[in-house]
Amino acid sequence: MGISSELLQKYATLIVRTGANVQPGQVVQLAVSVEQHDFAALITEECYKAGAKKVNVDWTSDTQSRLHYLYADQETLSAVLPWEEAKMKQMTEDLPCRIFIASEDPDAMNGIDPEKLSAVMQRRASVMKPYRNAIEGKHQWVIAAYPSLKWAQKCFPEAENPVDLLWDAILKTVRVQAENDPVEAWKAHTAFIEEKAAWLNTQGFASLRYHSENGTDFTVDLIPGARWEGAGAVNSVNGAFYIPNMPTEEIFTSPMAGRCEGTLVAVKPLSWNSQLIEDFSITFRNGRAVSCAAAKGQELLEKMIHMDDGAAMLGEVALVPKESPVNQCGFLFYETLFDENACCHCALGMGFKEVLPGGDDLTMEQAGKQGINDSIIHVDFMVGADDLSIDGIRPDGTAVPVFRNGTWA
Ligand code: ZN
């Protein structure tokens, strides 16, 4: 059993050519688990065939990460060493094409002190942030997935061949099939998303109003002139069109930070720092999360909201119809890359300055003055109930149906 080499090659080609769209002469930075060394080789070769100048690999390992957290102290783990910083600095000069292959075991960090996890992440992210800001919008990147055994077992605990089942689901969501040309399939898919985004961009909504029987009752203001985007992005330095997430179904924008009211009820569990938050809701007053309730992971959720000043405000609102192939798969992937493409969601934390006109050239501080939220976190949570309705509210107060019963009105 397992996936055929032909499908695997199609998938690798799709990631490199359509996702990252590696350009001749570019440096590629590939992050991939040691368990997927064969796939890493396939991706590497495809990058060179696309003209990459050099492919550097950052090997990752769930097992190693877990051991570090079990045995090394918080101080040591939090320190960003000079060579790590130098590497990030090098990236601001090379502006490499970045390819991330996600395959993590969702339970990798079970039992690790959430305090330690978030403290380490917070310290490291704050040192790395200026470098990340410096390459934002100026390089191509893509995250795609590869099913590890542990991840597959988490999704299909009862199955005999969980990896095969997860492969089937992943290939379905990224539109890689034996009989199709995935590159062509993605052209059609991208065109559909762009058409919906274009419609939203002509509407000029001042705010969005969410309602569902599950308790979601929420209004969020949008930034005048901010764009709705989806599917692809353009590297502002070389003009290359790339697709940051595979799969992707969402159309998103960044709302006005600090301007929302009401309660959002999550419809799917949230996996954060490799731990689960389940059956939760978040209530906002004057644009900030002021309370939250979770049947599981309450402490973790509170920690997340208090990571920094911007963590309690929204950085993203995204529209995904319930017919999404990810939703059709009918199970939780325990991986944001998939789960955020199942239905409508919002994200706490950092917003996207590129949705502002000329946003690529703004600093986060300048973008913040126009309403883009800033934070070291960006965490998506799903609010797309089957009965969700969303109205777009025009500046004159008229309401336009955008979503009805979880899909485009
Ligand atoms: Zn999103």
Side-chain angles (χ1 to χ4, degrees):
M1 285 300 283
I3 179 176
S4 73
S5 57
E6 185 203 346
L7 277 180
L8 209 53
Q9 181 59 55
K10 271 190 177 187
Y11 187 33
T13 304
L14 182 72
I15 292 169
V16 171
R17 306 280 178 162
T18 300
N21 191 9
V22 173
Q23 300 294 301
Q26 279 192 314
V27 173
V28 176
Q29 201 77 28
L30 169 64
V32 59
S33 164
V34 288
E35 289 174 40
Q36 271 81 59
H37 50 85
D38 287 345
F39 191 57
L42 211 55
I43 294 276
T44 301
E45 185 163 14
E46 196 59 33
C47 289
Y48 278 124
K49 283 182 181 164
K53 178 175 163 184
K54 176 78 200 297
V55 183
N56 300 316
V57 184
D58 294 316
W59 296 104
T60 64
S61 160
D62 284 342
T63 319
Q64 291 289 332
S65 302
R66 183 178 175 79
L67 288 170
H68 292 322
Y69 275 97
L70 272 179
Y71 292 102
D73 62 60
Q74 188 170 313
E75 195 59 30
T76 307
L77 292 175
S78 300
V80 178
L81 298 174
W83 67 265
E84 292 179 277
E85 218 175 320
K87 195 170 157 188
M88 283 302 285
K89 192 158 177 280
Q90 184 70 41
M91 257 193 231
T92 66
E93 286 156 27
D94 291 345
L95 297 173
C97 218
R98 300 172 86 193
I99 300 176
F100 303 87
I101 305 298
S103 62
E104 289 84 4
D105 169 11
D107 289 331
M109 294 299 172
N110 263 8
I112 301 287
D113 177 13
E115 191 87 43
K116 188 174 180 180
L117 268 171
S118 54
V120 169
M121 190 197 137
Q122 190 172 23
R123 285 269 305 278
R124 292 187 61 86
S126 59
V127 177
M128 296 298 204
K129 190 131 197 317
Y131 301 106
R132 277 173 42 196
N133 287 350
I135 61 174
E136 180 86 24
K138 296 182 180 161
H139 72 296
Q140 301 123 256
W141 57 276
V142 60
I143 310 179
Y146 191 104
S148 63
L149 176 62
K150 289 222 169 111
W151 177 20
Q153 283 170 337
K154 176 77 182 177
C155 298
F156 303 102
E158 311 288 326
E160 227 173 277
N161 301 310
V163 174
D164 290 349
L165 293 178
L166 189 51
W167 258 131
D168 285 349
I170 289 174
L171 293 182
K172 185 175 159 192
T173 63
V174 297
R175 297 166 163 79
V176 173
Q177 304 298 330
E179 22 348 283
N180 79 344
D181 176 354
V183 174
E184 287 304 313
W186 273 82
K187 276 185 193 156
H189 177 49
T190 315
F192 173 80
I193 290 182
E194 282 175 350
E195 183 195 311
K196 290 292 182 193
W199 176 77
L200 284 163
N201 285 328
T202 59
Q203 297 300 309
F205 294 135
S207 58
L208 295 180
R209 195 164 61 203
Y210 291 64
H211 184 81
S212 161
E213 285 305 309
N214 69 7
T216 285
D217 190 7
F218 179 75
T219 304
V220 58
D221 289 354
L222 302 177
I223 301 172
R227 294 183 57 79
W228 288 89
E229 293 188 4
V234 173
N235 177 342
S236 65
V237 176
N238 63 5
F241 181 81
Y242 62 102
I243 300 189
N245 290 338
M246 295 187 131
T248 187
E249 301 290 332
E250 61 170 357
I251 295 167
F252 64 91
T253 191
S254 285
M256 183 70 87
R259 293 273 292 278
C260 62
E261 270 323 297
T263 298
L264 287 169
V265 177
V267 296
K268 290 180 195 284
L270 166 64
S271 177
W272 187 62
N273 275 356
S274 303
Q275 293 178 329
L276 271 193
I277 303 168
E278 289 180 78
D279 293 326
F280 64 99
S281 65
I282 305 175
T283 297
F284 296 82
R285 292 282 170 261
N286 298 315
R288 303 185 70 92
V290 290
S291 66
C292 59
K296 190 185 160 199
Q298 172 88 26
E299 194 195 344
L300 200 62
L301 183 56
E302 280 169 12
K303 208 141 263 148
M304 191 178 93
I305 290 169
H306 294 107
M307 283 293 277
D308 61 11
D309 189 54
M313 292 189 280
L314 292 184
E316 176 189 3
V317 290
L319 305 178
V320 183
K322 66 182 178 190
E323 296 87 356
S324 148
V326 176
N327 210 24
Q328 299 296 313
C329 286
F331 64 93
L332 189 73
F333 283 77
Y334 299 97
E335 164 60 63
T336 303
L337 174 64
F338 292 85
D339 295 325
E340 79 157 336
N341 282 301
C343 59
C344 289
H345 60 271
C346 298
L348 286 165
M350 189 175 174
F352 309 110
K353 63 186 167 86
E354 61 270 24
V355 302
L356 297 175
D360 281 328
D361 300 323
L362 301 177
T363 62
M364 272 317 279
E365 205 185 344
Q366 290 166 327
K369 292 201 174 102
Q370 296 186 50
I372 302 287
N373 192 29
D374 194 13
S375 171
I376 57 170
I377 68 160
H378 176 96
V379 184
D380 301 87
F381 58 99
M382 308 306 122
V383 300
D386 276 353
D387 71 335
L388 179 67
S389 65
I390 301 174
D391 281 336
I393 313 294
R394 295 230 169 90
D396 67 4
T398 45
V400 178
V402 177
F403 261 56
R404 284 294 177 269
N405 290 317
T407 193
W408 293 103

Short mmCIF file of all heavy atoms in Angstrom, two decimals, residues 35-85:
data_model
loop_
_atom_site.label_atom_id
_atom_site.label_comp_id
_atom_site.label_asym_id
_atom_site.label_seq_id
_atom_site.Cartn_x
_atom_site.Cartn_y
_atom_site.Cartn_z
N GLU A 35 11.96 12.33 9.42
CA GLU A 35 11.23 11.13 8.99
C GLU A 35 10.89 11.16 7.51
O GLU A 35 10.65 10.14 6.90
CB GLU A 35 9.91 10.99 9.78
CG GLU A 35 10.10 10.60 11.22
CD GLU A 35 8.77 10.63 11.98
OE1 GLU A 35 7.74 10.20 11.42
OE2 GLU A 35 8.77 11.11 13.12
N GLN A 36 10.84 12.37 6.93
CA GLN A 36 10.46 12.49 5.52
C GLN A 36 11.66 12.77 4.63
O GLN A 36 11.58 13.57 3.69
CB GLN A 36 9.41 13.60 5.37
CG GLN A 36 7.98 13.11 5.53
CD GLN A 36 7.59 12.97 6.98
OE1 GLN A 36 7.64 13.93 7.72
NE2 GLN A 36 7.20 11.76 7.39
N HIS A 37 12.78 12.10 4.89
CA HIS A 37 13.98 12.42 4.12
C HIS A 37 13.85 12.08 2.64
O HIS A 37 14.41 12.78 1.80
CB HIS A 37 15.22 11.75 4.73
CG HIS A 37 15.06 10.29 4.99
ND1 HIS A 37 15.28 9.35 4.03
CD2 HIS A 37 14.64 9.63 6.10
CE1 HIS A 37 15.05 8.15 4.53
NE2 HIS A 37 14.64 8.29 5.79
N ASP A 38 13.05 11.05 2.32
CA ASP A 38 12.88 10.73 0.89
C ASP A 38 12.08 11.82 0.17
O ASP A 38 12.42 12.21 -0.95
CB ASP A 38 12.14 9.38 0.71
CG ASP A 38 13.04 8.21 1.08
OD1 ASP A 38 14.27 8.43 1.17
OD2 ASP A 38 12.52 7.11 1.28
N PHE A 39 11.04 12.28 0.84
CA PHE A 39 10.25 13.35 0.23
C PHE A 39 11.08 14.64 0.15
O PHE A 39 10.97 15.39 -0.82
CB PHE A 39 8.97 13.58 1.04
CG PHE A 39 7.96 14.46 0.35
CD1 PHE A 39 7.48 14.13 -0.90
CD2 PHE A 39 7.50 15.62 0.96
CE1 PHE A 39 6.54 14.94 -1.55
CE2 PHE A 39 6.57 16.44 0.32
CZ PHE A 39 6.10 16.10 -0.94
N ALA A 40 11.91 14.87 1.16
CA ALA A 40 12.79 16.04 1.14
C ALA A 40 13.70 16.01 -0.09
O ALA A 40 13.92 17.03 -0.74
CB ALA A 40 13.63 16.09 2.42
N ALA A 41 14.18 14.81 -0.42
CA ALA A 41 15.04 14.67 -1.60
C ALA A 41 14.28 14.97 -2.88
O ALA A 41 14.78 15.63 -3.80
CB ALA A 41 15.62 13.26 -1.65
N LEU A 42 13.02 14.50 -2.92
CA LEU A 42 12.17 14.75 -4.08
C LEU A 42 11.93 16.25 -4.28
O LEU A 42 12.04 16.79 -5.39
CB LEU A 42 10.83 14.03 -3.86
CG LEU A 42 10.05 13.50 -5.05
CD1 LEU A 42 10.90 12.57 -5.89
CD2 LEU A 42 8.79 12.76 -4.55
N ILE A 43 11.61 16.93 -3.17
CA ILE A 43 11.39 18.38 -3.22
C ILE A 43 12.67 19.10 -3.63
O ILE A 43 12.66 19.99 -4.47
CB ILE A 43 10.94 18.90 -1.82
CG1 ILE A 43 9.56 18.33 -1.43
CG2 ILE A 43 10.95 20.42 -1.76
CD1 ILE A 43 8.38 19.08 -1.97
N THR A 44 13.78 18.68 -3.02
CA THR A 44 15.07 19.31 -3.31
C THR A 44 15.39 19.22 -4.80
O THR A 44 15.76 20.21 -5.45
CB THR A 44 16.19 18.65 -2.48
OG1 THR A 44 15.87 18.80 -1.10
CG2 THR A 44 17.54 19.31 -2.76
N GLU A 45 15.21 18.03 -5.36
CA GLU A 45 15.52 17.85 -6.79
C GLU A 45 14.61 18.70 -7.66
O GLU A 45 15.05 19.33 -8.62
CB GLU A 45 15.41 16.37 -7.18
CG GLU A 45 15.84 16.15 -8.62
CD GLU A 45 16.14 14.69 -8.94
OE1 GLU A 45 15.77 13.80 -8.15
OE2 GLU A 45 16.73 14.45 -10.01
N GLU A 46 13.33 18.75 -7.28
CA GLU A 46 12.37 19.55 -8.05
C GLU A 46 12.76 21.04 -8.00
O GLU A 46 12.62 21.75 -8.98
CB GLU A 46 10.96 19.31 -7.48
CG GLU A 46 9.83 19.75 -8.36
CD GLU A 46 9.79 19.08 -9.74
OE1 GLU A 46 10.18 17.90 -9.87
OE2 GLU A 46 9.38 19.76 -10.70
N CYS A 47 13.22 21.49 -6.84
CA CYS A 47 13.66 22.89 -6.72
C CYS A 47 14.85 23.17 -7.64
O CYS A 47 14.89 24.19 -8.33
CB CYS A 47 14.06 23.20 -5.27
SG CYS A 47 12.69 23.30 -4.13
N TYR A 48 15.82 22.24 -7.65
CA TYR A 48 16.97 22.44 -8.53
C TYR A 48 16.54 22.45 -9.99
O TYR A 48 17.02 23.24 -10.80
CB TYR A 48 18.04 21.37 -8.27
CG TYR A 48 18.92 21.71 -7.07
CD1 TYR A 48 19.06 20.82 -6.01
CD2 TYR A 48 19.60 22.93 -7.01
CE1 TYR A 48 19.85 21.13 -4.90
CE2 TYR A 48 20.39 23.26 -5.92
CZ TYR A 48 20.52 22.35 -4.87
OH TYR A 48 21.30 22.67 -3.79
N LYS A 49 15.59 21.55 -10.33
CA LYS A 49 15.10 21.53 -11.72
C LYS A 49 14.40 22.84 -12.08
O LYS A 49 14.37 23.23 -13.24
CB LYS A 49 14.14 20.35 -11.92
CG LYS A 49 14.85 19.02 -12.06
CD LYS A 49 13.82 17.91 -12.30
CE LYS A 49 14.50 16.56 -12.43
NZ LYS A 49 13.51 15.47 -12.29
N ALA A 50 13.82 23.49 -11.06
CA ALA A 50 13.16 24.78 -11.31
C ALA A 50 14.18 25.92 -11.38
O ALA A 50 13.81 27.06 -11.59
CB ALA A 50 12.12 25.05 -10.22
N GLY A 51 15.45 25.58 -11.15
CA GLY A 51 16.50 26.60 -11.28
C GLY A 51 17.03 27.14 -9.97
O GLY A 51 17.76 28.14 -9.96
N ALA A 52 16.66 26.51 -8.85
CA ALA A 52 17.15 27.00 -7.55
C ALA A 52 18.67 27.05 -7.54
O ALA A 52 19.34 26.18 -8.11
CB ALA A 52 16.65 26.10 -6.43
N LYS A 53 19.20 28.08 -6.88
CA LYS A 53 20.65 28.25 -6.79
C LYS A 53 21.20 27.28 -5.74
O LYS A 53 22.24 26.65 -5.93
CB LYS A 53 20.91 29.69 -6.37
CG LYS A 53 22.33 30.07 -6.18
CD LYS A 53 22.36 31.57 -5.88
CE LYS A 53 23.67 32.00 -5.26
NZ LYS A 53 23.60 33.43 -4.90
N LYS A 54 20.49 27.20 -4.60
CA LYS A 54 20.92 26.31 -3.51
C LYS A 54 19.69 25.96 -2.68
O LYS A 54 18.85 26.81 -2.43
CB LYS A 54 21.95 27.04 -2.64
CG LYS A 54 22.42 26.27 -1.42
CD LYS A 54 23.44 25.18 -1.77
CE LYS A 54 23.55 24.11 -0.69
NZ LYS A 54 24.02 24.64 0.58
N VAL A 55 19.58 24.71 -2.29
CA VAL A 55 18.49 24.29 -1.40
C VAL A 55 19.07 23.93 -0.04
O VAL A 55 19.87 23.00 0.08
CB VAL A 55 17.73 23.06 -1.98
CG1 VAL A 55 16.56 22.69 -1.07
CG2 VAL A 55 17.22 23.36 -3.39
N ASN A 56 18.73 24.70 0.97
CA ASN A 56 19.17 24.42 2.34
C ASN A 56 18.05 23.73 3.09
O ASN A 56 16.89 24.12 2.97
CB ASN A 56 19.52 25.72 3.07
CG ASN A 56 20.64 26.47 2.37
OD1 ASN A 56 21.63 25.88 1.96
ND2 ASN A 56 20.46 27.77 2.22
N VAL A 57 18.39 22.72 3.87
CA VAL A 57 17.35 21.99 4.60
C VAL A 57 17.49 22.21 6.11
O VAL A 57 18.57 22.08 6.67
CB VAL A 57 17.41 20.48 4.29
CG1 VAL A 57 16.25 19.75 4.98
CG2 VAL A 57 17.35 20.23 2.79
N ASP A 58 16.39 22.58 6.74
CA ASP A 58 16.30 22.62 8.20
C ASP A 58 15.55 21.37 8.64
O ASP A 58 14.33 21.30 8.49
CB ASP A 58 15.53 23.87 8.67
CG ASP A 58 16.27 25.15 8.35
OD1 ASP A 58 17.49 25.19 8.57
OD2 ASP A 58 15.63 26.11 7.87
N TRP A 59 16.27 20.40 9.18
CA TRP A 59 15.63 19.15 9.60
C TRP A 59 14.94 19.36 10.94
O TRP A 59 15.49 19.98 11.84
CB TRP A 59 16.67 18.03 9.73
CG TRP A 59 17.32 17.69 8.43
CD1 TRP A 59 18.58 18.03 8.03
CD2 TRP A 59 16.74 16.94 7.36
NE1 TRP A 59 18.82 17.53 6.76
CE2 TRP A 59 17.71 16.86 6.33
CE3 TRP A 59 15.50 16.32 7.16
CZ2 TRP A 59 17.48 16.20 5.12
CZ3 TRP A 59 15.28 15.66 5.96
CH2 TRP A 59 16.25 15.60 4.96
N THR A 60 13.72 18.83 11.06
CA THR A 60 12.99 18.94 12.32
C THR A 60 12.67 17.53 12.84
O THR A 60 12.73 16.57 12.08
CB THR A 60 11.67 19.71 12.13
OG1 THR A 60 10.82 18.96 11.25
CG2 THR A 60 11.90 21.09 11.54
N SER A 61 12.36 17.44 14.12
CA SER A 61 12.00 16.16 14.71
C SER A 61 11.14 16.38 15.94
O SER A 61 11.54 17.07 16.88
CB SER A 61 13.27 15.39 15.10
OG SER A 61 12.97 14.40 16.07
N ASP A 62 9.94 15.80 15.92
CA ASP A 62 9.05 15.85 17.08
C ASP A 62 9.73 15.27 18.32
O ASP A 62 9.64 15.81 19.41
CB ASP A 62 7.80 14.99 16.84
CG ASP A 62 6.82 15.65 15.92
OD1 ASP A 62 6.91 16.87 15.73
OD2 ASP A 62 5.95 14.94 15.39
N THR A 63 10.37 14.14 18.11
CA THR A 63 10.99 13.42 19.23
C THR A 63 12.06 14.28 19.88
O THR A 63 12.12 14.39 21.11
CB THR A 63 11.63 12.11 18.71
OG1 THR A 63 10.75 11.53 17.75
CG2 THR A 63 11.90 11.14 19.83
N GLN A 64 12.90 14.90 19.06
CA GLN A 64 13.94 15.76 19.60
C GLN A 64 13.34 16.96 20.34
O GLN A 64 13.77 17.29 21.45
CB GLN A 64 14.85 16.27 18.46
CG GLN A 64 15.71 15.20 17.82
CD GLN A 64 16.83 14.74 18.73
OE1 GLN A 64 17.30 15.48 19.57
NE2 GLN A 64 17.24 13.50 18.57
N SER A 65 12.33 17.60 19.72
CA SER A 65 11.72 18.77 20.36
C SER A 65 11.18 18.41 21.73
O SER A 65 11.37 19.13 22.71
CB SER A 65 10.57 19.33 19.53
OG SER A 65 11.02 19.65 18.25
N ARG A 66 10.51 17.26 21.79
CA ARG A 66 9.94 16.83 23.06
C ARG A 66 11.02 16.60 24.12
O ARG A 66 10.88 17.00 25.28
CB ARG A 66 9.14 15.53 22.84
CG ARG A 66 8.46 15.05 24.09
CD ARG A 66 7.62 13.81 23.88
NE ARG A 66 7.13 13.38 25.17
CZ ARG A 66 6.09 13.94 25.78
NH1 ARG A 66 5.41 14.91 25.20
NH2 ARG A 66 5.73 13.54 26.98
N LEU A 67 12.12 15.98 23.70
CA LEU A 67 13.22 15.72 24.64
C LEU A 67 13.82 17.02 25.15
O LEU A 67 14.13 17.15 26.34
CB LEU A 67 14.30 14.87 23.96
CG LEU A 67 13.91 13.41 23.72
CD1 LEU A 67 14.94 12.71 22.85
CD2 LEU A 67 13.72 12.67 25.04
N HIS A 68 13.94 18.01 24.25
CA HIS A 68 14.46 19.31 24.69
C HIS A 68 13.60 19.88 25.80
O HIS A 68 14.09 20.35 26.82
CB HIS A 68 14.51 20.30 23.52
CG HIS A 68 15.51 19.93 22.47
ND1 HIS A 68 16.73 19.38 22.76
CD2 HIS A 68 15.46 20.01 21.11
CE1 HIS A 68 17.39 19.16 21.63
NE2 HIS A 68 16.64 19.53 20.62
N TYR A 69 12.27 19.84 25.57
CA TYR A 69 11.35 20.42 26.57
C TYR A 69 11.33 19.62 27.87
O TYR A 69 11.12 20.16 28.94
CB TYR A 69 9.94 20.57 25.99
CG TYR A 69 9.79 21.86 25.23
CD1 TYR A 69 9.92 21.90 23.85
CD2 TYR A 69 9.56 23.06 25.91
CE1 TYR A 69 9.82 23.08 23.14
CE2 TYR A 69 9.46 24.25 25.21
CZ TYR A 69 9.59 24.26 23.82
OH TYR A 69 9.50 25.44 23.14
N LEU A 70 11.55 18.30 27.76
CA LEU A 70 11.56 17.47 28.96
C LEU A 70 12.80 17.73 29.81
O LEU A 70 12.72 17.79 31.03
CB LEU A 70 11.52 15.99 28.56
CG LEU A 70 10.15 15.34 28.37
CD1 LEU A 70 10.32 13.89 27.95
CD2 LEU A 70 9.31 15.43 29.65
N TYR A 71 13.95 17.89 29.15
CA TYR A 71 15.20 17.90 29.91
C TYR A 71 15.92 19.24 30.01
O TYR A 71 16.58 19.50 31.00
CB TYR A 71 16.16 16.85 29.34
CG TYR A 71 15.67 15.43 29.58
CD1 TYR A 71 15.07 14.70 28.57
CD2 TYR A 71 15.82 14.85 30.84
CE1 TYR A 71 14.61 13.41 28.80
CE2 TYR A 71 15.36 13.56 31.08
CZ TYR A 71 14.76 12.84 30.06
OH TYR A 71 14.30 11.58 30.29
N ALA A 72 15.82 20.06 28.97
CA ALA A 72 16.58 21.33 29.02
C ALA A 72 15.76 22.37 29.78
O ALA A 72 14.53 22.33 29.77
CB ALA A 72 16.87 21.81 27.61
N ASP A 73 16.45 23.30 30.45
CA ASP A 73 15.70 24.28 31.24
C ASP A 73 15.18 25.42 30.36
O ASP A 73 15.64 25.63 29.23
CB ASP A 73 16.54 24.80 32.41
CG ASP A 73 17.78 25.53 31.95
OD1 ASP A 73 17.65 26.54 31.22
OD2 ASP A 73 18.90 25.06 32.28
N GLN A 74 14.22 26.12 30.91
CA GLN A 74 13.51 27.17 30.19
C GLN A 74 14.44 28.26 29.67
O GLN A 74 14.31 28.73 28.54
CB GLN A 74 12.45 27.77 31.11
CG GLN A 74 11.52 28.74 30.43
CD GLN A 74 10.36 29.10 31.34
OE1 GLN A 74 9.73 28.24 31.95
NE2 GLN A 74 10.10 30.39 31.46
N GLU A 75 15.40 28.64 30.53
CA GLU A 75 16.36 29.68 30.18
C GLU A 75 17.15 29.29 28.92
O GLU A 75 17.27 30.07 27.98
CB GLU A 75 17.32 29.86 31.38
CG GLU A 75 18.14 31.11 31.36
CD GLU A 75 17.30 32.38 31.34
OE1 GLU A 75 16.18 32.35 31.90
OE2 GLU A 75 17.75 33.36 30.74
N THR A 76 17.64 28.06 28.92
CA THR A 76 18.44 27.57 27.80
C THR A 76 17.61 27.51 26.51
O THR A 76 18.06 27.94 25.45
CB THR A 76 18.98 26.15 28.11
OG1 THR A 76 19.64 26.20 29.37
CG2 THR A 76 19.92 25.66 27.03
N LEU A 77 16.38 27.00 26.64
CA LEU A 77 15.54 26.85 25.45
C LEU A 77 15.09 28.20 24.90
O LEU A 77 14.86 28.35 23.70
CB LEU A 77 14.31 25.99 25.77
CG LEU A 77 14.58 24.51 26.06
CD1 LEU A 77 13.30 23.81 26.48
CD2 LEU A 77 15.20 23.82 24.85
N SER A 78 14.97 29.19 25.78
CA SER A 78 14.50 30.51 25.36
C SER A 78 15.56 31.30 24.61
O SER A 78 15.25 32.20 23.83
CB SER A 78 14.07 31.33 26.57
OG SER A 78 13.04 30.68 27.27
N ALA A 79 16.83 30.97 24.87
CA ALA A 79 17.91 31.78 24.29
C ALA A 79 18.01 31.58 22.78
O ALA A 79 18.03 30.46 22.29
CB ALA A 79 19.23 31.38 24.96
N VAL A 80 18.03 32.70 22.07
CA VAL A 80 18.31 32.65 20.64
C VAL A 80 19.80 32.91 20.49
O VAL A 80 20.28 34.00 20.79
CB VAL A 80 17.49 33.72 19.87
CG1 VAL A 80 17.84 33.68 18.38
CG2 VAL A 80 16.00 33.49 20.07
N LEU A 81 20.54 31.90 20.06
CA LEU A 81 21.99 32.02 20.00
C LEU A 81 22.41 32.88 18.81
O LEU A 81 21.67 32.99 17.82
CB LEU A 81 22.62 30.63 19.91
CG LEU A 81 22.33 29.75 21.14
CD1 LEU A 81 22.86 28.34 20.94
CD2 LEU A 81 22.92 30.38 22.40
N PRO A 82 23.62 33.49 18.92
CA PRO A 82 24.06 34.39 17.84
C PRO A 82 24.00 33.76 16.45
O PRO A 82 23.62 34.42 15.49
CB PRO A 82 25.51 34.71 18.25
CG PRO A 82 25.53 34.54 19.73
CD PRO A 82 24.55 33.46 20.06
N TRP A 83 24.34 32.47 16.36
CA TRP A 83 24.33 31.85 15.02
C TRP A 83 22.90 31.72 14.48
O TRP A 83 22.68 31.80 13.27
CB TRP A 83 25.04 30.50 15.01
CG TRP A 83 24.39 29.40 15.80
CD1 TRP A 83 24.69 29.06 17.09
CD2 TRP A 83 23.35 28.52 15.39
NE1 TRP A 83 23.90 28.02 17.50
CE2 TRP A 83 23.07 27.65 16.48
CE3 TRP A 83 22.63 28.35 14.20
CZ2 TRP A 83 22.08 26.66 16.42
CZ3 TRP A 83 21.65 27.36 14.14
CH2 TRP A 83 21.39 26.52 15.23
N GLU A 84 21.93 31.54 15.39
CA GLU A 84 20.54 31.45 14.93
C GLU A 84 20.07 32.80 14.41
O GLU A 84 19.36 32.90 13.40
CB GLU A 84 19.62 31.01 16.08
CG GLU A 84 19.84 29.60 16.55
CD GLU A 84 18.92 29.25 17.71
OE1 GLU A 84 19.27 29.59 18.87
OE2 GLU A 84 17.86 28.67 17.47
N GLU A 85 20.50 33.85 15.13
CA GLU A 85 20.12 35.19 14.72
C GLU A 85 20.81 35.55 13.40
O GLU A 85 20.21 36.17 12.53
CB GLU A 85 20.49 36.18 15.84
CG GLU A 85 19.44 37.26 15.98
CD GLU A 85 19.69 38.19 17.15
OE1 GLU A 85 20.10 37.70 18.22
OE2 GLU A 85 19.45 39.40 16.97
#
